[in-house]
């Protein structure tokens, strides 16, 4: 690894101002070491610029990370950083409202932002010719943002944030546990004592001027790192960054924040009631060390030993014995402190107080047993594999650089990061166990489904909501904003694009084995990994042969992840963890997939274990009983979750009771209860066959070598398997509202749609309907989302889409909305869909679709996972490589008239099912005024008439 420190002057041909930019570090790769090469600069205004050059794909990823998160907020003024994550997508001086998403999307790119306790970042991945536009966008919201902030935007985004809180916290099972833990673990006023999303009452008490002051204090270039990675020329990038960011003045100086982690003098018992859950929960949380502290790595190892994998203490004590549906431990660490959490979801009928004692007993047992050599080997292998796989995409590499620079203070921290995990010892783990966890005080939280369920212990700590704070406040006086000056170009004009990059569809090879397996593969040498996906056609679809045992495909796949004839469940997973590999089996709607991921150096051993999983499942009674019970309890738990209820009932409406797709992949209570171990064995014997299988291989290995390693598949004996022909879905009648009562729900879940007659096709009506729907419901800037989220602030997100595979699938429009807007949201959904069907798309929407989808290919083939999905589609549908060219030709040439004709044909707004899951007492009277018939259903989709359930309707 080579570093050089230089001072350079860059003269910009497009800008007459001579500015000084320091090249302060250069990191190069000199051998096989794990490193992310980059050049790091600093502008006069304090902006840190990091450039990673990678020409493997015609992509560029831009990340702007501001060193401000919820930790820079103050008591009773929480949620500001997260609020700005929303606000900074709402336009700036030279970028119109909602234009940010539109520009990036029509560039063929993807974008988002995120906020945590310590930083906020905004990022885009786009074709490389769009770089100047991305820098122009980011510079405009860094330096030319405040004048565009209005009270109206403030109010809309405040409503959107409230919806996000309702959807992701208040209305989600166990959604408030992190909020309760934060309040109980940290002292009153500590910036970690509230969540990043903040408290709604804090947002209610502030106005737009409070937000502006927060921005002026923390969002200057001297508190930001701009990281650019991908198919770029560093000299050109520096010139662009100087041009767009150079005139933005530095903000107030930002000093590092240092606070000591909290120390608890006694255990704090807290609890809350969550009506959305079936299983009570108990969790211990202990305060630990900040991110990158020397003790973070051994604490992470301790968490894995105690609660990750089938050999872990928590799995064997609780899950294997069928005492709990889930049990784990984890150790997230932030800039100021870390939190070690032990988490158990017991099956109903047991006391949380007993589980508390059993969790404490596990710590006693670990203190006695200590750490084994295998524990250390498995942990190191998994960390090495995770880090390497994280470098598969340019966005992954850029994100690592940005995080290292912002939180650790050194972008070149990857070697330190990996070494601290590879160098830990058993003694390190025992030391941190005794120092931070064993016999130490923590927060013990109980989440209970009702007031009749007892917490682990009576609450002995009340989270304070008022009082004096010992933590410093920020001086916001003297802050002022003036528009940056000094540009020698017209910033209002969007930059011209460079030449379109050449998009390379991955080269691939095909082979068909003698037993019928269709193989497809491609070689890629960016990282030393191999990904293998074996798909066995059928999946849940095969449950159609015995619908009374629906869920059998899912349960069979689950058991394939357990014991084999030569390994126990624990043994085979431990063998995989020793080499940092993963093998998993999952049954989807129409396929069962066996996937394997491994470092190249461990491929042979991974394939030996894949052979074992595929050909020699043990199907033990003990494993079967445990997984069946988990599947049943998962189904019951879903009956508490409004979103899960909506999905289940909507499928039953769409398909009718005679169709297998009216039942979820996991089945329903009655069908899973009927499944026996003999059923599982027969399902495997009858339907797992190479004659209906396809194989995709992606990685740093050539065709000849990898095929030679596939001998175990060549000897897999074929049998005749017939995939069932499914009946047509139940015809939809006139548009009707179906209501499921979720008493006092703060949000309503809405689903609207019907089953089309379109199966998947690559270039026909199905593909063209995707193009047609894109401006209506397929993008952030779609009509549906702009209306319900951005204009009204009723939802965190609304969408519409077509979804088909081998069989026709539905058109679905969906959203979770504020309860008091339920009827109005249904009106707006139907208005947007009907207007679009009648009047079609506009010329500008057609142009937007063409630009957005026409440039998307650059992002679709980057990582092994993306390549796998692409190759699987080609293999399954027997597509020629030129199908991508044909799709691009359709995108360029399809007429607005043809797409509008498809809208009239497939947006059947007079034959929709409209499902609402929400509080019936408040919503039903208002829905009744919309003019549709209303039918009441229970949470399983049965019709309720005069208070009675009629399962025949």
């Amino acid at each position: 690894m080579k570093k050089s420190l230089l001072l350079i002057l860059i003269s910009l041909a497009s800008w007459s101002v001579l500015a000084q930019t320091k090249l302060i570090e250069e990191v190069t790769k000199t051998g096989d070491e794990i490193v992310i090469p980059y050049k790091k600069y600093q502008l006069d205004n304090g902006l840190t610029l990091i450039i990673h050059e990678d020409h493997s794909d015609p992509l560029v990823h831009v990340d702007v990370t501001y060193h401000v998160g919820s930790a820079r907020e103050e008591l009773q003024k929480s949620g500001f950083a997260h609020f700005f994550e929303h606000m900074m997508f709402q336009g700036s001086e030279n970028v119109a409202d909602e234009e940010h998403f539109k520009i990036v999307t029509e560039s063929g790119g993807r974008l988002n932002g995120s906020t945590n306790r310590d930083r906020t970042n905004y990022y885009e991945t786009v074709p490389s010719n769009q770089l100047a536009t991305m820098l122009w966008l980011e510079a405009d919201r860094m330096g030319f943002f405040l004048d565009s902030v209005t009270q109206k935007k403030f109010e809309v985004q405040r409503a959107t944030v409230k919806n996000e809180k309702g959807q992701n916290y208040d209305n989600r099972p166990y959604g408030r546990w992190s909020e309760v833990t934060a309040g109980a673990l940290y002292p009153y006023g500590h910036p970690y004592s509230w969540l990043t999303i903040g408290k709604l009452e804090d947002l209610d008490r502030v106005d737009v001027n409070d937000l502006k002051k927060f921005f002026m204090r923390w969002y200057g270039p001297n508190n930001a790192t701009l990281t650019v990675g991908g198919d770029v020329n560093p000299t050109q990038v520096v010139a662009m960054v100087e041009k767009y960011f150079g005139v933005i003045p530095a903000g107030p100086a930002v000093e590092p924040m240092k606070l000591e982690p909290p120390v608890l003098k006694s255990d704090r018992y807290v609890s809350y009631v969550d009506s959305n859950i079936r299983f009570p929960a108990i969790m211990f949380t202990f305060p630990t060390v900040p991110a990158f502290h020397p003790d973070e790595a051994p604490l992470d190892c301790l968490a894995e030993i105690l609660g990750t994998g089938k050999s872990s203490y928590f799995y064997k004590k609780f899950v294997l014995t069928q005492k709990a549906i889930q049990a784990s431990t984890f150790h997230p660490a932030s800039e100021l402190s870390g939190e070690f959490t032990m988490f158990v979801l017991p099956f109903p009928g047991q006391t949380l107080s007993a589980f508390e004692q059993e969790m404490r007993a596990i710590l006693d047992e670990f203190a006695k047993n200590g750490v084994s050599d295998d524990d250390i080997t498995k942990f190191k292998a998994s960390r090495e594999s995770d880090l390497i796989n994280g470098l598969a995409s340019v966005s992954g590499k850029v994100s690592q650089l940005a995080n290292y620079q912002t939180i650790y203070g050194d972008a070149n921290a990857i070697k330190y990061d990996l070494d601290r995990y590879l160098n830990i010892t058993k003694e390190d783990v025992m030391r941190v166990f005794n120092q931070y966890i064993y016999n130490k005080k923590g927060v013990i939280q109980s989440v209970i489904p009702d007031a009749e369920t007892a917490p682990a212990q009576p609450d002995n700590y009340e989270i304070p909501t008022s009082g004096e704070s010992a933590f410093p406040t920020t001086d916001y006086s003297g802050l002022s904003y003036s528009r940056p000056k000094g540009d020698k170009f017209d910033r209002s004009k969007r930059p011209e694009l460079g030449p379109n990059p050449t998009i390379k569809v991955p080269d691939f090879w095909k082979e068909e084995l003698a037993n019928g397996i269709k193989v497809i593969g491609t070689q890629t040498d960016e990282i030393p990994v191999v990904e293998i996906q074996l798909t066995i056609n059928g999946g849940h679809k095969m449950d159609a042969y015995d619908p009374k045992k629906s869920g059998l495909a899912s349960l069979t796949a689950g058991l394939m992840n357990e014991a084999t004839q030569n390994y126990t469940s624990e043994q085979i997973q431990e063998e995989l963890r020793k080499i940092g590999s993963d093998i998993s089996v999952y049954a989807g709607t129409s396929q069962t997939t066996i996937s394997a991921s491994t470092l190249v150096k461990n491929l042979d051993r991974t394939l030996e274990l894949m052979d074992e999983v595929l050909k020699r499942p043990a199907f033990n009674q003990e494993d079967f009983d445990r997984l069946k019970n988990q599947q049943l309890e998962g189904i019951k738990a879903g009956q508490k979750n409004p979103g899960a209820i909506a999905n289940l009932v909507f499928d039953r409406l769409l398909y009718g009771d005679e169709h297998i797709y009216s039942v979820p992949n996991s089945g329903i209570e009655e069908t899973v209860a009927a499944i026996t171990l003999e059923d599982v064995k027969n399902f495997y014997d009858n339907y797992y066959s190479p004659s209906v299988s396809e194989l995709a291989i992606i990685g740093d290995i050539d065709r000849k070598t990898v095929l030679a390693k596939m001998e175990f598949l060549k000897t897999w004996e074929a049998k005749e398997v017939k995939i069932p022909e499914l009946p047509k879905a139940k015809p939809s009648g006139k548009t009707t509202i179906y209501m499921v009562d979720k008493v006092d729900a703060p949000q309503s879940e809405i689903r609207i749609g019907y089953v089309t007659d379109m199966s998947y096709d690559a270039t026909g009506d199905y593909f063209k309907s995707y193009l047609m729907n894109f401006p209506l419901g397929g993008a952030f800037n779609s009509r549906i989302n702009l209306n319900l989220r951005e204009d009204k602030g009723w939802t965190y997100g609304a969408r519409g889409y077509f979804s088909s595979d081998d069989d026709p699938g539905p058109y679905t429009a969906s959203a979770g909305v504020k309860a008091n807007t339920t009827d109005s949201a249904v009106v707006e959904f139907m208005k947007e869909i009907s207007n679009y069907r009648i009047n079609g798309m506009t010329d500008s929407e057609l142009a937007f679709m063409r630009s957005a989808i026409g440039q998307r290919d650059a992002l679709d083939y980057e990582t092994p996972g993306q390549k796998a999905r692409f190759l699987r589609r080609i293999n399954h549908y027997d597509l020629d490589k030129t199908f991508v060219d044909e799709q691009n030709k359709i995108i360029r040439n399809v007429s607005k008239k043809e797409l509008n004709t498809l809208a009239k044909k497939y947006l059947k707004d007079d034959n929709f099912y409209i499902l609402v899951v929400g509080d019936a007492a408040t919503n039903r009277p208002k829905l009744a005024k919309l003019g549709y018939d209303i039918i009441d259903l229970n949470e399983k989709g049965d019709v309720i008439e005069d208070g009675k359930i009629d399962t025949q309707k």
Side-chain angles (χ1 to χ4, degrees):
M1 192 180 302
K2 177 184 176 184
K3 295 185 181 181
S4 62
L5 300 177
L6 302 171
L7 181 63
I8 65 171
L9 296 176
I10 297 178
S11 178
L12 303 179
S14 59
W15 191 24
S16 61
V17 176
L18 187 67
Q20 283 194 332
T21 298
K22 296 178 181 178
L23 173 59
I24 54 178
E25 184 180 41
E26 181 174 2
V27 174
T28 59
K29 186 170 184 176
T30 58
D32 294 332
E33 76 274 26
I34 297 176
V35 64
I36 310 174
Y38 66 86
K39 293 181 178 180
K40 182 166 73 175
Y41 303 82
Q42 190 170 65
L43 276 66
D44 285 349
N45 57 12
L47 177 67
T48 298
L49 169 64
I50 299 172
I51 304 172
H52 164 66
E53 190 174 1
D54 175 3
H55 300 289
S56 58
D57 294 286
L59 298 173
V60 61
H61 185 81
V62 176
D63 177 291
V64 179
T65 296
Y66 296 91
H67 200 167
V68 54
S70 56
R72 294 294 187 177
E73 298 162 357
E74 299 177 61
L75 192 63
Q76 298 185 341
K77 292 184 179 180
S78 65
F80 280 21
H82 173 259
F83 197 96
F84 266 109
E85 181 200 320
H86 285 253
M87 289 296 294
M88 288 176 72
F89 284 107
Q90 302 308 307
S92 48
E93 180 179 316
N94 301 294
V95 182
D97 297 355
E98 320 304 343
E99 195 76 8
H100 202 113
F101 272 94
K102 182 175 186 295
I103 288 173
V104 177
T105 304
E106 72 182 2
S107 299
R110 302 188 184 108
L111 75 160
N112 215 325
S114 69
T115 310
N116 64 28
R117 289 167 161 176
D118 308 309
R119 61 102 187 106
T120 302
N121 73 333
Y122 302 89
Y123 51 91
E124 303 89 13
T125 307
V126 293
S128 52
N129 65 323
Q130 304 284 343
L131 174 59
T133 300
M134 299 306 108
L135 296 175
W136 169 74
L137 285 170
E138 291 295 351
D140 215 61
R141 65 177 164 193
M142 179 186 286
F144 302 83
F145 169 70
L146 281 187
D147 284 342
S148 70
V149 175
T150 65
Q151 187 67 30
K152 180 180 179 181
K153 290 182 185 179
F154 172 83
E155 296 295 343
V156 169
Q157 292 310 310
R158 177 159 59 182
T160 301
V161 171
K162 289 182 177 181
N163 283 313
E164 182 179 355
K165 180 110 175 10
Q167 182 172 318
N168 292 341
Y169 296 87
D170 300 338
N171 211 34
R172 175 173 289 179
Y174 313 100
R176 289 191 57 232
W177 79 266
S178 55
E179 183 176 35
V180 173
T181 293
L185 185 65
Y186 294 97
Y188 182 67
H190 190 289
Y192 282 2
S193 66
W194 53 80
L195 297 188
T196 301
I197 199 166
K199 299 180 179 180
L200 298 187
E201 59 267 27
D202 289 353
L203 289 178
D204 281 337
R205 69 167 58 96
V206 301
D207 61 24
V208 69
N209 292 320
D210 293 312
L211 268 291
K212 287 183 176 182
K213 290 177 182 178
F214 189 81
F215 180 87
M216 287 187 283
R217 180 64 186 85
W218 301 113
Y219 289 79
N222 52 307
N223 197 34
T225 297
L226 168 61
T227 311
V228 178
D231 187 22
V232 298
N233 178 299
T235 302
Q236 293 174 351
V237 174
V238 171
M240 292 181 193
V241 172
E242 282 278 12
K243 176 179 179 180
Y244 295 115
F245 290 85
V247 299
I248 302 173
V254 177
E255 298 298 326
M257 178 180 285
K258 296 292 182 183
L259 293 176
E260 290 299 315
V263 176
L264 276 58
K265 295 181 179 180
S266 62
D267 286 329
R268 295 176 177 177
Y269 288 90
V270 293
S271 66
Y272 77 95
V273 175
D274 185 344
S275 61
N276 290 319
I277 66 173
R278 171 173 171 78
F279 310 106
I282 178 171
M283 56 206 78
F284 284 55
T285 301
F286 302 95
T288 64
V289 297
F292 296 108
H293 186 284
D295 288 346
E296 182 190 10
L299 281 163
D300 287 346
C301 183
L302 173 65
E304 186 165 303
I305 294 169
L306 290 177
T308 300
K310 293 177 180 177
S311 69
S312 70
Y313 285 78
F314 273 66
Y315 182 88
K316 290 195 289 188
K317 181 73 171 179
F318 298 121
V319 180
L320 192 62
T321 58
Q322 299 190 53
K323 291 182 176 181
I325 193 169
Q326 184 180 338
S328 62
T329 60
F330 42 92
H331 178 240
S334 302
E335 190 173 17
L336 301 180
S337 72
E339 298 163 10
F340 191 101
T341 296
M342 308 186 307
F343 177 85
V344 179
L345 294 181
F347 283 121
Q350 304 169 88
T351 65
L352 293 184
S353 59
F355 274 86
E356 178 192 350
Q357 297 311 310
E358 291 193 74
M359 293 166 77
R360 294 187 185 278
I362 285 176
L363 299 183
D364 292 334
E365 185 180 355
F366 179 77
K368 179 181 178 181
N369 295 342
V371 183
S372 70
D373 291 333
D374 273 356
D375 288 334
I376 299 296
T377 298
K378 290 179 294 188
F379 178 73
K380 291 179 179 181
S382 67
R383 285 291 162 156
E384 180 184 26
S385 178
D386 289 346
L387 189 143
I388 291 174
N389 279 288
L391 305 179
S393 66
V394 65
S395 62
K397 287 176 276 194
V398 165
S399 297
Q400 281 282 43
L401 291 170
N403 186 62
Y404 288 149
Q405 178 63 35
T406 303
I407 305 301
Y408 184 63
D410 181 359
N412 189 36
I414 192 166
K415 185 179 188 304
Y416 163 75
D417 199 11
L418 182 60
D419 285 350
R420 67 187 178 129
Y421 287 102
L422 297 184
N423 293 332
I424 63 170
T425 65
K426 293 185 289 185
E427 291 74 19
D428 290 330
V429 178
M430 292 309 299
R431 176 180 54 78
V432 298
F433 171 69
N434 287 299
Q435 184 173 347
Y436 301 104
I437 310 301
Y438 193 45
N439 293 325
K440 297 300 183 288
K441 307 304 180 184
V443 172
I444 298 93
Q445 181 181 168
S446 303
V447 185
I448 51 180
D450 50 57
E452 286 71 44
T453 302
Q457 300 291 339
D459 289 8
N460 69 354
Y461 183 78
E462 184 174 347
I463 298 173
T465 57
S466 62
E468 294 295 324
S469 171
F471 298 92
T473 60
T474 300
D475 182 7
Y476 289 97
S477 65
L479 295 174
S480 62
Y481 169 75
S482 59
R483 184 184 183 280
K485 298 178 176 62
D487 282 337
K488 303 299 182 181
F489 68 100
D490 187 351
R491 194 177 284 269
S492 67
K493 292 184 179 179
R494 183 172 165 179
E496 294 184 6
L497 299 180
N500 287 331
T502 301
I503 308 300
K504 275 191 64 178
V505 176
D507 290 328
F508 57 84
W509 49 266
K510 284 187 173 184
E511 184 98 6
E512 183 162 347
L513 305 185
N515 57 7
I517 300 177
K518 295 165 60 180
V519 187
I520 191 168
T522 188
Q523 183 175 3
T524 175
D525 60 2
E526 291 182 43
I527 55 175
V529 301
V530 177
E531 181 160 330
I532 299 170
Q533 294 188 359
L534 176 68
T535 53
I536 304 168
N537 288 308
H540 176 50
K541 197 174 184 177
M542 308 305 288
D543 288 343
Y545 284 130
D546 192 356
K548 292 183 179 179
K549 295 185 177 181
S550 292
L552 178 56
S554 179
L555 188 52
T556 303
L559 277 166
M560 297 283 287
N561 292 302
E562 299 295 329
T564 71
Q565 293 171 19
N566 296 307
Y567 295 89
T568 66
S569 299
E570 176 184 335
Q571 287 170 342
I572 196 162
Q573 189 185 77
E574 296 312 291
E575 289 299 309
L576 288 164
R577 290 180 63 202
K578 287 176 186 177
I579 56 176
S581 298
D582 179 73
I583 297 175
S584 61
V585 187
Y586 169 77
T589 301
S590 59
Q591 291 176 326
T592 294
T593 301
I594 304 177
S595 63
S597 177
T598 179
L599 299 180
V600 174
K601 65 182 181 181
N602 298 320
L603 177 60
D604 288 346
R605 180 58 177 150
T606 303
L607 292 179
E608 290 175 3
L609 296 171
M610 187 176 181
D611 181 28
E612 188 73 17
V613 168
L614 174 64
K615 294 183 186 174
R616 289 175 285 281
F619 295 137
N620 293 329
Q621 186 70 48
E622 183 180 4
D623 289 338
F624 170 80
D625 291 341
R626 174 168 41 82
L627 264 64
K628 178 179 175 179
N629 190 35
Q630 289 175 350
Q631 194 159 320
L632 279 169
E633 291 297 337
I635 291 167
K636 294 174 185 177
Q639 295 167 11
K640 294 275 191 175
N641 184 335
I645 293 170
N647 293 335
L648 184 147
V649 175
F650 191 59
D651 282 346
R652 188 171 175 187
L653 290 172
L654 289 175
Y655 288 100
D657 290 345
E658 302 306 312
H659 199 291
I660 195 63
Y661 290 168
S662 70
V663 180
N665 293 355
S666 58
I668 56 177
E669 285 182 69
E670 307 92 278
T671 62
V672 175
I675 297 172
T676 66
L677 180 57
E678 197 63 29
D679 294 325
V680 169
K681 294 177 180 178
N682 289 336
F683 190 96
Y684 172 81
D685 289 339
N686 292 333
Y687 304 138
Y688 278 53
S689 171
S691 59
V692 289
S693 296
E694 297 150 5
L695 181 67
I697 306 169
I698 301 91
D700 190 13
I701 190 167
D702 63 79
R703 173 182 184 172
K704 181 179 179 181
T705 304
V706 77
L707 283 176
K709 296 178 183 294
M710 293 294 156
E711 197 63 37
F712 76 98
L713 287 178
K714 298 175 185 177
T715 59
W716 185 20
E717 187 176 345
K719 66 196 75 164
E720 184 179 353
V721 177
K722 184 179 179 181
I723 308 295
E725 294 286 335
L726 298 184
K728 289 186 176 180
K730 182 182 72 172
S732 55
K734 69 175 183 177
T735 297
T736 302
I737 294 177
Y738 296 82
M739 182 84 210
V740 176
D741 187 16
K742 184 67 174 163
V743 178
D744 294 332
Q747 285 197 314
S748 296
E749 290 288 340
I750 297 174
R751 305 289 186 270
I752 299 172
Y754 79 108
V755 177
T756 72
D757 58 5
M758 293 186 292
S759 301
Y760 172 86
D761 64 63
T763 55
D765 271 9
Y766 180 73
F767 175 70
K768 292 175 184 176
S769 292
Y770 161 64
L771 307 182
M772 173 271 289
N773 175 68
F774 193 75
L776 173 65
F780 184 91
N781 281 69
S782 69
R783 294 188 186 187
I784 289 173
N785 193 58
L786 288 183
N787 183 338
L788 273 73
R789 171 178 163 141
E790 298 302 298
D791 293 344
K792 306 290 195 311
W794 293 345
T795 180
Y796 184 49
R799 62 202 59 83
Y801 53 93
F802 292 92
S803 178
S804 297
D805 51 24
D806 296 349
D807 299 289
Y811 170 77
T812 305
S814 65
V817 302
K818 287 194 299 185
N820 64 354
T821 69
T822 302
D823 58 319
S824 300
V826 170
V827 169
E828 295 302 320
F829 260 121
M830 294 301 293
K831 182 186 75 174
E832 293 294 354
I833 295 170
S834 296
N835 285 346
Y836 197 78
R837 181 185 65 82
I838 294 168
N839 300 313
M841 66 174 63
T842 65
D843 290 337
S844 62
E845 287 175 328
L846 177 64
F848 170 65
M849 179 278 292
R850 281 182 172 156
S851 181
I853 300 178
Q855 298 186 75
R856 79 196 190 292
D857 286 346
L859 279 68
D860 282 351
Y861 321 126
E862 186 186 10
T863 67
Q866 289 172 316
K867 288 181 172 73
R869 288 190 291 273
F870 175 72
L871 295 184
R872 281 176 59 179
R873 191 181 311 122
I874 289 176
N875 212 18
H876 184 68
Y877 293 105
D878 197 24
L879 301 174
D880 189 88
K881 183 176 179 179
T882 59
F883 90 91
V884 175
D885 297 329
E886 182 62 26
Q887 285 185 337
N888 287 329
K889 183 179 178 181
I890 291 170
I891 293 167
R892 290 192 303 268
N893 298 326
V894 67
S895 68
K896 186 173 69 169
K897 180 179 179 181
E898 182 177 0
L899 295 179
N900 288 343
T901 300
L902 290 174
K904 288 181 171 64
K905 181 177 181 181
Y906 290 115
L907 296 175
K908 296 184 177 181
D909 58 328
D910 55 346
N911 298 117
F912 278 167
Y913 298 97
I914 302 175
L915 174 66
V916 175
V917 179
D919 183 67
T922 54
N923 287 315
R924 200 181 194 284
K926 293 186 286 186
L927 290 168
K929 296 178 182 179
L930 303 186
Y932 303 105
D933 291 342
I934 299 181
I935 296 176
D936 293 305
L937 306 173
N938 69 0
E939 70 279 357
K940 296 182 180 180
D942 299 322
V943 175
I944 302 174
E945 291 183 349
D946 299 324
K948 298 179 180 179
I949 296 174
D950 186 351
T951 60
Q952 303 304 310
K953 292 191 177 182

